[in-house]
Amino acid sequence: VLASGAAPITALLYQLSGLTTDTAYSVTVSAVNADGESAQSAPVTGYTRPQAPTGLTVTEVTYNSLRLTWTATPGLTGTYEIWRDGVRTDQNVSGTTFVVTGLTAATAYSFTIKAKSTASTLVSNVSAAAPADVSPYRPSASWSSRPASVSVLT
């Protein structure tokens, strides 16, 4: 068996290197011996995982929401998955920013972003992650009223 015209491969397992992320590759094999080369096998198609997004940051934190922003994955043909506290949310995002709502005040969260390929549905195995503490609830109205009288019971 020859890999791209290289020396014969004698192992039963061969790892291709130098492949582009989020790309389909088709591979065929054939046997070579003293009598010559066999016919090629049927092609097998495999996909490489997308590269993981980087630079995840958390901004605009309020008592129940925050904004996630990250650096785009080069050549990604798919979307990004949003994960909160290790659990995938139902959100698939095509851009590089997302506003998370419905959070609980004064609660710590951990967010992860993974790149998801459209061609293969593979997800990046390394992902950007960022912790986030949601602000404690602070009412927006100020209270200036005072009681008319106070009674002390003894």
Side-chain angles (χ1 to χ4, degrees):
V1 176
L2 302 177
S4 301
I9 301 167
T10 57
L12 295 176
L13 176 67
Y14 182 78
Q15 183 172 354
L16 299 172
S17 60
L19 304 178
T20 303
T21 61
D22 196 21
T23 303
Y25 288 91
S26 183
V27 177
T28 59
V29 294
S30 63
V32 178
N33 61 24
D35 294 330
E37 183 177 356
S38 71
Q40 291 189 345
S41 68
V44 175
T45 300
Y47 296 87
T48 55
R49 289 185 183 276
Q51 183 179 345
T54 58
L56 178 61
T57 58
V58 177
T59 58
E60 300 175 28
V61 178
T62 71
Y63 73 93
N64 68 350
S65 68
L66 52 80
R67 178 180 297 275
L68 301 171
T69 305
W70 57 93
T71 304
T73 297
L76 180 66
T77 62
T79 58
Y80 297 95
E81 293 181 346
I82 310 295
W83 292 64
R84 182 173 74 195
D85 296 330
V87 178
R88 184 180 176 278
T89 68
D90 290 333
Q91 302 300 323
N92 286 311
V93 179
S94 59
T96 56
T97 187
F98 182 72
V99 176
V100 181
T101 60
L103 302 176
T104 303
T107 303
Y109 294 97
S110 176
F111 291 91
T112 305
I113 308 298
K114 295 183 180 183
K116 181 178 179 182
S117 172
T118 300
S120 67
T121 68
L122 288 175
V123 177
S124 60
N125 57 357
V126 178
S127 57
D133 287 318
V134 177
S135 298
Y137 179 71
R138 298 186 204 293
S140 58
S142 60
W143 301 97
S144 60
S145 61
R146 289 184 272 204
S149 64
V150 175
S151 299
V152 178
L153 301 175
T154 57

